[in-house]
Amino acid sequence: MSTTPKPAPALTAAQARDVINRYSEINNQANAELNRRLLDTVEDGPLYAQSVSYYTEAEGRPEADRKPEKPWTYDTATAKLYIPRLAAGDDRWFIAALSVKGKSTPSWRLTVFAERPEHRRWEQVSVVDLDDRKLPNVALDRDGYATAVPATKQTVGELRSGVVDNFATGGTTKVFSPSKASKRQIAVHDETGTRYGDRGTTTFAGSTNPYKDTYAVRTSNGVLLMFSHTHTQSDAVAGPGLQIIPGEDDRAWLRGPGYTSIKYTFVCNDAATIPSRERPRLIGYTCARTNASGLPVGPGTTARG
Protein backbone atom coordinates (compact mmCIF):
# COMPACT_ATOMS: atom_id res chain seq x y z
CA MET A 1 0.00 0.00 0.00
CA SER A 2 1.30 3.43 -0.97
CA THR A 3 2.05 5.81 1.89
CA THR A 4 2.42 8.82 -0.42
CA PRO A 5 -0.12 11.47 0.67
CA LYS A 6 -2.75 12.49 -1.86
CA PRO A 7 -2.47 15.95 -3.38
CA ALA A 8 -4.74 18.46 -1.66
CA PRO A 9 -8.03 19.48 -3.30
CA ALA A 10 -8.14 22.94 -4.88
CA LEU A 11 -10.66 23.99 -2.21
CA THR A 12 -13.49 22.45 -0.20
CA ALA A 13 -17.04 22.01 -1.47
CA ALA A 14 -18.27 24.67 0.97
CA GLN A 15 -15.65 27.12 -0.27
CA ALA A 16 -16.61 26.36 -3.90
CA ARG A 17 -20.26 27.16 -3.16
CA ASP A 18 -19.19 30.45 -1.58
CA VAL A 19 -17.23 31.27 -4.75
CA ILE A 20 -20.28 30.50 -6.90
CA ASN A 21 -22.63 32.59 -4.74
CA ARG A 22 -20.23 35.54 -4.79
CA TYR A 23 -20.04 35.32 -8.55
CA SER A 24 -23.84 35.38 -8.96
CA GLU A 25 -24.21 38.40 -6.65
CA ILE A 26 -21.52 40.56 -8.25
CA ASN A 27 -22.37 39.50 -11.81
CA ASN A 28 -25.96 40.69 -11.33
CA GLN A 29 -24.78 44.07 -10.08
CA ALA A 30 -22.26 44.47 -12.92
CA ASN A 31 -24.85 43.53 -15.56
CA ALA A 32 -27.36 46.03 -14.20
CA GLU A 33 -24.79 48.81 -14.49
CA LEU A 34 -22.89 47.51 -17.55
CA ASN A 35 -19.94 47.89 -15.21
CA ARG A 36 -16.83 46.35 -16.78
CA ARG A 37 -14.57 47.16 -13.83
CA LEU A 38 -16.86 45.40 -11.36
CA LEU A 39 -17.34 42.46 -13.74
CA ASP A 40 -13.55 42.14 -13.95
CA THR A 41 -13.49 41.21 -10.25
CA VAL A 42 -15.41 37.95 -10.89
CA GLU A 43 -14.67 37.08 -14.52
CA ASP A 44 -11.55 36.55 -16.60
CA GLY A 45 -10.32 35.00 -19.83
CA PRO A 46 -12.72 34.11 -22.65
CA LEU A 47 -15.83 34.51 -20.49
CA TYR A 48 -14.93 38.11 -19.63
CA ALA A 49 -14.36 38.82 -23.34
CA GLN A 50 -17.81 37.41 -24.13
CA SER A 51 -19.54 39.40 -21.38
CA VAL A 52 -17.87 42.66 -22.42
CA SER A 53 -19.12 42.06 -25.96
CA TYR A 54 -22.70 41.83 -24.63
CA TYR A 55 -22.17 45.14 -22.84
CA THR A 56 -20.83 46.66 -26.04
CA GLU A 57 -23.88 45.50 -28.00
CA ALA A 58 -26.22 46.88 -25.34
CA GLU A 59 -24.45 50.25 -25.39
CA GLY A 60 -24.74 50.35 -29.18
CA ARG A 61 -28.55 50.47 -28.94
CA PRO A 62 -30.58 53.58 -28.05
CA GLU A 63 -31.06 53.66 -24.28
CA ALA A 64 -34.83 53.24 -24.68
CA ASP A 65 -34.27 49.96 -26.52
CA ARG A 66 -31.97 48.39 -23.93
CA LYS A 67 -33.59 45.55 -22.04
CA PRO A 68 -32.57 45.36 -18.38
CA GLU A 69 -30.91 42.11 -17.36
CA LYS A 70 -33.12 40.08 -15.03
CA PRO A 71 -31.46 39.10 -11.73
CA TRP A 72 -30.58 35.42 -11.44
CA THR A 73 -28.72 33.08 -9.12
CA TYR A 74 -26.96 29.76 -9.58
CA ASP A 75 -28.57 26.99 -7.55
CA THR A 76 -25.71 25.80 -5.35
CA ALA A 77 -27.95 23.22 -3.67
CA THR A 78 -28.14 21.19 -6.89
CA ALA A 79 -24.61 22.02 -8.10
CA LYS A 80 -22.35 19.16 -9.14
CA LEU A 81 -18.82 20.04 -8.08
CA TYR A 82 -15.78 18.56 -9.82
CA ILE A 83 -12.96 19.79 -7.61
CA PRO A 84 -9.57 18.32 -8.57
CA ARG A 85 -6.73 17.38 -6.29
CA LEU A 86 -3.73 19.45 -7.37
CA ALA A 87 -0.02 19.26 -6.67
CA ALA A 88 1.58 21.95 -4.53
CA GLY A 89 2.29 25.03 -6.64
CA ASP A 90 -0.28 24.20 -9.35
CA ASP A 91 -2.80 26.87 -10.33
CA ARG A 92 -6.08 26.17 -8.55
CA TRP A 93 -9.38 25.67 -10.39
CA PHE A 94 -12.56 23.64 -10.37
CA ILE A 95 -15.40 22.72 -12.70
CA ALA A 96 -19.05 22.96 -11.64
CA ALA A 97 -22.22 21.80 -13.36
CA LEU A 98 -24.78 24.48 -12.52
CA SER A 99 -28.35 25.46 -13.26
CA VAL A 100 -30.18 28.70 -12.52
CA LYS A 101 -32.26 28.68 -9.34
CA GLY A 102 -36.02 28.55 -9.81
CA LYS A 103 -36.16 26.29 -12.86
CA SER A 104 -38.27 23.15 -12.37
CA THR A 105 -36.02 21.15 -14.71
CA PRO A 106 -32.29 21.95 -14.54
CA SER A 107 -30.77 23.28 -17.76
CA TRP A 108 -27.17 22.35 -17.09
CA ARG A 109 -24.12 24.39 -17.94
CA LEU A 110 -20.51 23.54 -17.22
CA THR A 111 -18.54 26.36 -15.65
CA VAL A 112 -14.88 26.77 -14.75
CA PHE A 113 -13.68 28.88 -11.83
CA ALA A 114 -9.96 29.63 -11.54
CA GLU A 115 -8.02 31.34 -8.79
CA ARG A 116 -6.12 34.43 -9.81
CA PRO A 117 -3.35 34.71 -7.18
CA GLU A 118 -2.32 38.17 -8.38
CA HIS A 119 -5.85 39.36 -7.55
CA ARG A 120 -6.30 37.08 -4.52
CA ARG A 121 -9.70 35.95 -5.72
CA TRP A 122 -11.56 33.31 -7.70
CA GLU A 123 -13.03 34.23 -11.09
CA GLN A 124 -15.26 32.43 -13.57
CA VAL A 125 -13.40 31.90 -16.84
CA SER A 126 -15.65 29.62 -18.90
CA VAL A 127 -19.33 28.76 -19.33
CA VAL A 128 -20.62 26.09 -21.70
CA ASP A 129 -24.33 25.40 -22.10
CA LEU A 130 -24.85 21.65 -22.51
CA ASP A 131 -26.95 20.43 -25.41
CA ASP A 132 -27.97 17.29 -23.51
CA ARG A 133 -29.45 17.15 -20.01
CA LYS A 134 -27.15 14.23 -19.20
CA LEU A 135 -23.98 15.28 -17.39
CA PRO A 136 -20.60 13.64 -18.08
CA ASN A 137 -19.83 10.90 -15.57
CA VAL A 138 -16.88 12.52 -13.80
CA ALA A 139 -14.95 10.05 -11.64
CA LEU A 140 -14.74 11.08 -7.96
CA ASP A 141 -12.66 9.53 -5.21
CA ARG A 142 -14.10 8.37 -1.88
CA ASP A 143 -13.84 11.92 -0.55
CA GLY A 144 -15.74 13.35 -3.51
CA TYR A 145 -12.82 14.95 -5.36
CA ALA A 146 -11.93 14.69 -9.05
CA THR A 147 -8.66 13.77 -10.73
CA ALA A 148 -7.05 16.45 -12.89
CA VAL A 149 -5.72 15.22 -16.23
CA PRO A 150 -3.02 17.05 -18.24
CA ALA A 151 -4.23 17.80 -21.76
CA THR A 152 -1.58 17.55 -24.46
CA LYS A 153 -1.16 20.35 -26.99
CA GLN A 154 -1.79 17.82 -29.76
CA THR A 155 -5.14 16.75 -28.30
CA VAL A 156 -6.32 20.30 -27.65
CA GLY A 157 -5.10 21.39 -31.08
CA GLU A 158 -7.07 18.60 -32.75
CA LEU A 159 -10.24 19.53 -30.86
CA ARG A 160 -9.91 23.21 -31.72
CA SER A 161 -9.30 22.30 -35.37
CA GLY A 162 -12.35 20.03 -35.31
CA VAL A 163 -14.59 22.77 -33.95
CA VAL A 164 -13.38 25.31 -36.51
CA ASP A 165 -13.86 22.69 -39.25
CA ASN A 166 -17.49 22.20 -38.19
CA PHE A 167 -18.06 25.89 -38.91
CA ALA A 168 -15.78 26.16 -41.95
CA THR A 169 -16.66 22.99 -43.92
CA GLY A 170 -19.57 21.39 -42.11
CA GLY A 171 -17.35 18.90 -40.34
CA THR A 172 -15.68 17.10 -43.23
CA THR A 173 -12.68 16.00 -41.14
CA LYS A 174 -14.92 14.04 -38.74
CA VAL A 175 -12.88 14.85 -35.64
CA PHE A 176 -15.94 14.41 -33.42
CA SER A 177 -18.49 11.65 -33.14
CA PRO A 178 -22.04 12.90 -33.89
CA SER A 179 -23.68 15.01 -31.18
CA LYS A 180 -26.26 17.78 -30.83
CA ALA A 181 -23.50 20.34 -30.24
CA SER A 182 -21.60 19.38 -33.40
CA LYS A 183 -24.83 19.37 -35.42
CA ARG A 184 -25.58 22.86 -34.15
CA GLN A 185 -22.20 24.13 -35.38
CA ILE A 186 -22.63 22.38 -38.72
CA ALA A 187 -26.06 24.00 -39.07
CA VAL A 188 -24.40 27.42 -38.66
CA HIS A 189 -22.13 26.52 -41.59
CA ASP A 190 -25.02 25.23 -43.73
CA GLU A 191 -27.56 27.97 -42.99
CA THR A 192 -25.40 31.07 -42.52
CA GLY A 193 -23.12 30.10 -45.39
CA THR A 194 -25.99 30.10 -47.91
CA ARG A 195 -28.21 32.88 -46.58
CA TYR A 196 -27.21 35.43 -49.25
CA GLY A 197 -27.81 33.06 -52.16
CA ASP A 198 -26.11 34.37 -55.30
CA ARG A 199 -25.86 37.91 -53.87
CA GLY A 200 -23.03 37.26 -51.43
CA THR A 201 -20.78 34.79 -49.66
CA THR A 202 -20.04 33.78 -46.07
CA THR A 203 -16.90 31.92 -45.01
CA PHE A 204 -15.63 30.78 -41.61
CA ALA A 205 -12.01 30.37 -40.52
CA GLY A 206 -9.93 29.87 -37.39
CA SER A 207 -8.34 32.89 -35.79
CA THR A 208 -5.55 33.64 -33.32
CA ASN A 209 -6.71 32.33 -29.96
CA PRO A 210 -5.32 34.22 -26.93
CA TYR A 211 -7.04 31.88 -24.46
CA LYS A 212 -4.79 28.84 -24.13
CA ASP A 213 -5.88 27.49 -20.75
CA THR A 214 -7.56 24.09 -20.63
CA TYR A 215 -9.19 22.22 -17.77
CA ALA A 216 -9.61 18.44 -17.74
CA VAL A 217 -10.82 15.84 -15.26
CA ARG A 218 -11.06 12.07 -15.47
CA THR A 219 -14.41 10.47 -16.27
CA SER A 220 -15.53 6.86 -15.88
CA ASN A 221 -14.27 6.03 -19.38
CA GLY A 222 -11.96 8.89 -20.39
CA VAL A 223 -11.67 12.64 -19.93
CA LEU A 224 -13.86 15.74 -19.75
CA LEU A 225 -12.01 18.67 -21.34
CA MET A 226 -12.94 22.37 -21.22
CA PHE A 227 -11.21 24.59 -23.77
CA SER A 228 -11.71 27.72 -25.87
CA HIS A 229 -11.35 28.73 -29.50
CA THR A 230 -11.66 31.82 -31.69
CA HIS A 231 -13.03 31.94 -35.23
CA THR A 232 -14.05 34.51 -37.81
CA GLN A 233 -17.00 34.90 -40.14
CA SER A 234 -16.40 36.90 -43.32
CA ASP A 235 -19.39 38.16 -45.35
CA ALA A 236 -18.96 39.78 -48.76
CA VAL A 237 -21.25 40.93 -51.56
CA ALA A 238 -21.02 39.10 -54.87
CA GLY A 239 -20.73 42.16 -57.09
CA PRO A 240 -21.21 45.90 -57.66
CA GLY A 241 -24.42 47.57 -56.54
CA LEU A 242 -24.92 45.32 -53.52
CA GLN A 243 -24.35 46.03 -49.86
CA ILE A 244 -24.75 44.36 -46.48
CA ILE A 245 -26.94 46.27 -44.03
CA PRO A 246 -25.71 45.87 -40.42
CA GLY A 247 -28.21 44.40 -37.98
CA GLU A 248 -29.18 45.95 -34.66
CA ASP A 249 -26.39 44.26 -32.70
CA ASP A 250 -23.83 44.91 -35.46
CA ARG A 251 -24.18 48.64 -35.01
CA ALA A 252 -22.19 48.49 -31.80
CA TRP A 253 -19.14 48.07 -34.05
CA LEU A 254 -20.38 49.11 -37.50
CA ARG A 255 -21.64 52.68 -37.68
CA GLY A 256 -22.06 52.95 -41.45
CA PRO A 257 -25.36 52.29 -43.27
CA GLY A 258 -23.96 49.63 -45.57
CA TYR A 259 -20.85 47.55 -46.32
CA THR A 260 -19.45 45.52 -49.16
CA SER A 261 -17.74 43.17 -46.68
CA ILE A 262 -17.86 42.53 -42.94
CA LYS A 263 -15.57 40.38 -40.79
CA TYR A 264 -16.81 39.18 -37.41
CA THR A 265 -14.70 37.65 -34.63
CA PHE A 266 -16.18 35.13 -32.20
CA VAL A 267 -14.76 33.91 -28.90
CA CYS A 268 -16.15 30.54 -27.85
CA ASN A 269 -15.97 28.15 -24.91
CA ASP A 270 -16.23 24.44 -25.66
CA ALA A 271 -16.65 21.19 -23.73
CA ALA A 272 -15.85 17.72 -25.03
CA THR A 273 -15.65 14.23 -23.64
CA ILE A 274 -12.81 12.03 -24.86
CA PRO A 275 -13.59 8.34 -24.39
CA SER A 276 -10.64 5.98 -24.18
CA ARG A 277 -11.51 4.07 -27.36
CA GLU A 278 -13.79 6.36 -29.36
CA ARG A 279 -13.66 9.68 -31.14
CA PRO A 280 -14.13 12.81 -28.98
CA ARG A 281 -17.68 14.03 -28.53
CA LEU A 282 -18.53 17.74 -28.38
CA ILE A 283 -21.15 18.13 -25.64
CA GLY A 284 -21.65 21.88 -25.70
CA TYR A 285 -20.30 25.27 -26.74
CA THR A 286 -21.08 28.95 -26.15
CA CYS A 287 -19.97 31.71 -28.55
CA ALA A 288 -20.11 35.50 -28.49
CA ARG A 289 -19.25 37.98 -31.21
CA THR A 290 -16.47 40.14 -29.81
CA ASN A 291 -15.63 42.37 -32.77
CA ALA A 292 -16.73 43.38 -36.25
CA SER A 293 -15.17 45.53 -38.96
CA GLY A 294 -16.00 46.13 -42.58
CA LEU A 295 -15.50 47.97 -45.85
CA PRO A 296 -18.19 50.66 -46.27
CA VAL A 297 -19.92 51.06 -49.59
CA GLY A 298 -19.04 53.93 -51.87
CA PRO A 299 -21.43 56.71 -52.84
CA GLY A 300 -24.23 55.83 -55.22
CA THR A 301 -24.52 52.18 -54.24
CA THR A 302 -28.04 50.77 -54.25
CA ALA A 303 -29.11 48.95 -51.09
CA ARG A 304 -30.02 45.42 -52.19
CA GLY A 305 -28.18 43.17 -49.68
Side-chain angles (χ1 to χ4, degrees):
M1 180 180 292
S2 173
T3 58
T4 304
K6 292 181 179 179
L11 73 177
T12 67
Q15 289 170 331
R17 290 188 174 91
D18 286 343
V19 168
I20 294 166
N21 285 330
R22 174 179 177 271
Y23 172 78
S24 297
E25 178 183 353
I26 295 179
N27 179 264
N28 277 314
Q29 183 180 346
N31 290 346
E33 303 169 1
L34 300 180
N35 189 328
R36 291 167 173 79
R37 181 174 296 180
L38 182 60
L39 184 71
D40 193 32
T41 66
V42 291
E43 284 189 6
D44 197 16
L47 179 60
Y48 180 72
Q50 291 176 333
S51 297
V52 167
S53 76
Y54 296 139
Y55 290 5
T56 301
E57 288 182 355
E59 292 164 343
R61 304 185 191 105
E63 195 162 347
D65 294 340
R66 299 177 191 174
K67 297 179 180 179
E69 190 81 17
K70 293 182 179 179
W72 62 276
T73 304
Y74 280 135
D75 188 352
T76 54
T78 61
K80 311 297 183 184
L81 302 176
Y82 310 131
I83 301 171
R85 293 182 179 274
L86 300 170
D90 285 353
D91 293 336
R92 297 199 298 167
W93 55 271
F94 70 94
I95 298 173
L98 300 171
S99 62
V100 174
K101 187 179 290 187
K103 291 193 175 183
S104 55
T105 303
S107 179
W108 293 108
R109 54 178 46 176
L110 289 178
T111 66
V112 178
F113 290 86
E115 186 184 39
R116 297 308 193 221
E118 68 274 21
H119 301 150
R120 297 183 181 180
R121 60 183 177 241
W122 288 81
E123 300 180 3
Q124 194 177 67
V125 297
S126 177
V127 171
V128 176
D129 293 325
L130 296 184
D131 284 72
D132 295 319
R133 296 192 184 277
K134 185 177 180 181
L135 293 171
N137 189 15
V138 175
L140 303 177
D141 63 20
R142 66 178 62 186
D143 298 316
Y145 295 112
T147 300
V149 179
T152 66
K153 288 184 179 181
Q154 180 179 356
T155 298
V156 177
E158 289 174 353
L159 295 183
R160 286 195 177 111
S161 295
V163 168
V164 171
D165 186 66
N166 280 346
F167 287 106
T169 73
T172 58
T173 59
K174 307 296 182 185
V175 169
F176 297 102
S177 61
S179 70
K180 289 183 179 179
S182 283
K183 289 178 181 177
R184 195 153 53 93
Q185 291 179 344
I186 291 169
V188 172
H189 165 267
D190 294 344
E191 296 167 10
T192 305
T194 58
R195 62 179 173 161
Y196 292 129
D198 60 1
R199 295 180 299 171
T201 59
T202 295
T203 57
F204 296 90
S207 183
T208 301
N209 176 35
Y211 308 109
K212 307 295 186 182
D213 291 340
T214 59
Y215 307 89
V217 291
R218 194 176 305 284
T219 64
S220 60
N221 68 337
V223 173
L224 164 66
L225 179 64
M226 307 283 290
F227 62 102
S228 304
H229 83 273
T230 303
H231 70 263
T232 60
Q233 172 188 324
S234 299
D235 295 355
V237 299
L242 300 173
Q243 64 175 297
I244 301 168
I245 308 299
E248 180 180 297
D249 292 335
D250 298 333
R251 295 189 182 115
W253 292 279
L254 304 168
R255 303 295 183 179
Y259 294 78
T260 58
S261 65
I262 299 174
K263 184 175 183 178
Y264 304 96
T265 299
F266 294 87
V267 170
C268 307
N269 291 312
D270 310 272
T273 52
I274 309 174
S276 56
R277 297 184 180 180
E278 299 174 22
R279 282 185 292 163
R281 186 171 185 269
L282 191 70
I283 61 174
Y285 75 97
T286 306
C287 287
R289 174 177 42 197
T290 57
N291 193 28
S293 59
L295 183 64
V297 297
T301 305
T302 303
R304 293 172 53 199

